[in-house]
Amino acid sequence: MAAAAAATLASLLAWLGPAGTDLAAHAYQRTVFLEHGFTLWNNFWYAGRYSFISYSVLYYPLAALLGIRLLAVATIATAALAFAVVLGREFGPAARWSTRTFAVVWAGIVLSAAFPFALGVALALVALWAVQARRLWRFALIAALTFAASPLAFLLLALVLGGIALGRRPNRRVLIGAGLALLTIGAGGAFLQRAFPGGGRYPFPFGELVAALAFCSIGLAMCWGVERARVLRWIFVVYAAACVAAFVVPSELGGNIARLRFAALPIGVLLFALRQWKPRILGVAALVLGLSWNLSPLVASYASARSDAAAEPSYWAPAIRYLKPRLTASYRVEAVATAGHWEAVYLPRAGIPIARGWFRQDDFPQNQVLYGRLASDTYVRWLRRLGTRYVVLSNAAPDYSAGAEAALLRSGRSGLPAVLRTPQLTIYAVPSPEKLVTGPAPARVLRMSQAGMRLALARPGNYRLAIRYSAYWQGHGACVGRGKDGMIVVTTRRAGVVDLVFDVDPGRVLASVEGEGHRSCSY
């Protein structure tokens, strides 16, 4: 019943509701996979970034096969089924209302479109089911798939199992087997992180930390004196410690650790039921707070997406028609981020590289200047440093990180002249723009692909290329190294054409893992 209810609600939201907050990211990444396969690099977002390998290995192939909506409904139904089975086996009839509540609120994750995470959570719950059945090999396989779908979901799985291990005396064989599986998978994840380092970080506002710790504190209070809730007590302790660690140590994880909030209300209902619905004042207060923490991001996503005209391809068609014949491969475009981030889908799909995209981890520290007060000279320097020729400002509501940028452009104090105005958007030209490749002599980009570039260099020397450096870049006819600003430095001994390709081989993987500076040369 829980699975059917979750599938029904998720289907209604997926096909009849507004586009989820993160849907643009997945729509574009699915397109990349369909057109280019499992490519490990993408030149069209964020001055270059790792794709798939550093986010979700499993989700995009499945999304390409099944479609985003069908896969979302399947994963949400699976999560509701596994949640009901796991809690039913652990707590019996007391879990009934919690599982029903989970079926309803978990379907709401469609409004956030956090679909790789939803897939990972579904697999994590199935992994817990396997642990209950003491099927260790099955658990190990499903835990590995959890990591492949969402490293965040895998981390939450590890935290929950850690709390369970502290809250009771599990079977020693199960404890050792599950622990070894998690450590092995975690070690593999750490290896991939070293081999393909993102270098960015995800923000974790202090208010989010306070809310997460308040959730854990209320959960501990609800567990007090209830022996059957002892295992949950330690899960709250472990999760609170993880939240503090994620706040103190900046990383790509950041505030994502707080995504347990999407199950806050079902957890609250479970605790209230274990207390036999007493005391009612404490229980109702806890449920109200849990409901607020659980649903507030979903309500905000719904309100933002329901009136987002920028989600339609026709909205961006005038910009694409203007830019395509005027933009050479030597420049990229800054599309001021909208709340739905659909600029990050339609412009790159048209072959237009953009300075940003839709994975906030990649914004820091490269684009951190946009998140505070923004002066015109600082803004123009940032545009030139990234080889930006045009700026596209739409009339859609901006992302919170683009509020200052949009206000500066609309004020007329940016120093950028408008070259096109339509009812939907305005395009500005960057004065005296710098090309993507600069150096001791005239240079230009002849061609840019997802994971390659062709340069024309007028004479020998060192050239800066405004593409993020990776140890896997290889130059044919030149050396490729890392500049002080994290961008590529191309060194050539002769004038002419230089081809750069993104080539992963065991030697470069080991060099990246060991942290060795790598300079690739091919003359």
Side-chain angles (χ1 to χ4, degrees):
M1 185 176 69
T8 301
L9 291 172
S11 298
L12 291 173
L13 291 173
W15 272 278
L16 302 178
T21 307
D22 289 350
L23 184 59
H26 309 315
Y28 175 64
Q29 292 281 88
R30 179 176 182 268
T31 298
V32 171
F33 185 88
L34 288 171
E35 294 181 354
H36 305 282
F38 198 81
T39 180
L40 297 179
W41 188 262
N42 181 5
N43 274 328
F44 287 81
W45 274 12
Y46 292 110
R49 66 178 297 273
Y50 293 113
S51 60
F52 306 134
I53 192 69
S54 60
Y55 187 74
S56 180
V57 174
L58 181 61
Y59 174 77
Y60 294 106
L62 289 177
L65 178 65
L66 300 176
I68 290 176
R69 290 184 175 89
L70 180 59
L71 179 58
V73 172
T75 56
I76 288 169
T78 302
L81 172 64
F83 188 87
V85 171
V86 170
L87 263 66
R89 289 184 173 185
E90 179 68 26
F91 301 107
R96 184 176 303 159
W97 282 104
S98 177
T99 59
R100 292 172 179 175
T101 306
F102 182 84
V104 174
V105 301
W106 191 250
I109 206 167
V110 171
L111 297 174
S112 75
F115 294 140
F117 174 68
L119 174 61
V121 168
L123 290 167
L125 288 168
V126 175
L128 289 174
W129 186 349
V131 166
Q132 283 183 324
R134 299 184 181 182
R135 304 289 187 179
L136 294 180
W137 285 108
R138 186 183 302 171
F139 166 78
L141 173 61
I142 299 171
L145 291 175
T146 301
F147 182 88
S150 168
L152 173 60
F154 175 80
L155 173 61
L156 294 178
L157 171 64
L159 295 177
V160 168
L161 287 175
I164 292 172
L166 292 172
R168 62 166 51 160
R169 294 181 178 178
N171 179 280
R172 186 173 181 179
R173 172 179 166 272
V174 173
L175 177 63
I176 294 174
L180 286 175
L182 291 176
L183 287 174
T184 302
I185 298 166
F191 181 88
L192 286 177
Q193 179 66 28
R194 289 284 294 177
F196 301 94
R201 62 183 185 273
Y202 194 90
F204 195 169
F206 181 70
E208 286 292 330
L209 174 65
V210 171
L213 295 181
F215 167 73
C216 293
S217 300
I218 294 171
L220 286 170
M222 294 283 287
C223 290
W224 193 263
V226 182
E227 182 59 29
R228 294 183 67 192
R230 177 181 173 83
V231 64
L232 297 174
R233 186 186 315 162
W234 282 99
I235 291 175
F236 285 122
V237 171
V238 172
Y239 181 63
C243 288
V244 172
F247 180 81
V248 172
V249 182
S251 69
E252 294 183 39
L253 175 62
N256 282 315
I257 190 71
R259 282 196 180 180
L260 193 62
R261 69 189 304 169
F262 290 129
L265 182 60
I267 293 171
V269 171
L270 174 63
L271 290 170
F272 200 10
L274 292 176
R275 295 185 64 90
Q276 298 182 346
W277 312 102
K278 299 176 182 178
R280 291 192 177 181
I281 294 179
L282 173 63
V284 171
L287 291 184
V288 170
L289 292 174
L291 178 67
S292 174
W293 198 48
N294 198 143
L295 297 187
S296 56
L298 301 179
V299 171
S301 296
Y302 176 80
S304 173
R306 65 179 299 190
S307 58
D308 189 4
E312 299 300 323
S314 58
Y315 187 94
W316 301 97
I320 293 170
R321 284 196 299 269
Y322 181 86
L323 294 171
K324 285 290 284 184
R326 294 170 174 83
L327 190 73
T328 69
S330 291
Y331 298 98
R332 61 167 55 95
V333 168
E334 159 60 354
V336 180
T338 62
H341 295 270
W342 289 99
E343 73 284 344
V345 177
Y346 297 118
L347 297 185
R349 272 185 185 174
I352 299 171
I354 59 176
R356 301 180 73 187
W358 187 209
F359 281 113
R360 206 173 297 279
Q361 293 94 324
D362 292 301
D363 258 346
F364 295 87
Q366 177 176 282
N367 304 327
Q368 192 170 358
V369 65
L370 301 178
Y371 283 74
R373 297 181 63 182
L374 190 61
S376 59
D377 56 344
T378 302
Y379 182 54
V380 172
R381 280 198 303 270
W382 176 78
L383 292 170
R384 289 171 177 163
R385 184 171 60 86
L386 291 177
T388 305
R389 180 69 182 89
Y390 295 102
V391 176
V392 179
L393 173 66
S394 82
N395 294 336
D399 180 69
Y400 77 88
S401 67
E405 182 182 11
L408 178 64
L409 289 166
R410 291 186 177 120
S411 71
R413 297 192 302 269
S414 66
L416 277 66
V419 292
L420 176 70
R421 293 187 187 273
T422 74
Q424 305 101 300
L425 51 83
T426 303
I427 297 181
Y428 299 87
V430 178
S432 304
E434 293 183 2
K435 292 181 179 179
L436 290 172
V437 58
T438 55
R444 59 195 175 102
V445 179
L446 299 176
R447 177 181 56 84
M448 177 189 290
S449 62
Q450 286 285 326
M453 300 189 76
R454 172 166 288 184
L455 313 177
L457 309 178
R459 73 180 189 204
N462 296 325
Y463 292 82
R464 177 187 181 270
L465 178 61
I467 296 290
R468 282 178 170 174
Y469 173 80
S470 167
Y472 306 107
W473 280 114
Q474 182 178 2
H476 295 294
C479 288
V480 178
R482 179 189 181 94
K484 293 181 179 179
D485 60 355
M487 299 296 178
I488 292 175
V489 174
V490 178
T491 303
T492 180
R493 295 177 181 174
R494 61 179 184 271
V497 174
V498 172
D499 286 313
L500 271 63
V501 295
F502 190 86
D503 184 23
V504 177
D505 63 39
R508 291 187 178 88
V509 169
L510 290 176
S512 183
V513 169
E514 293 171 0
E516 296 179 0
H518 189 84
R519 190 167 182 262
S520 172
C521 293
S522 176
Y523 289 110

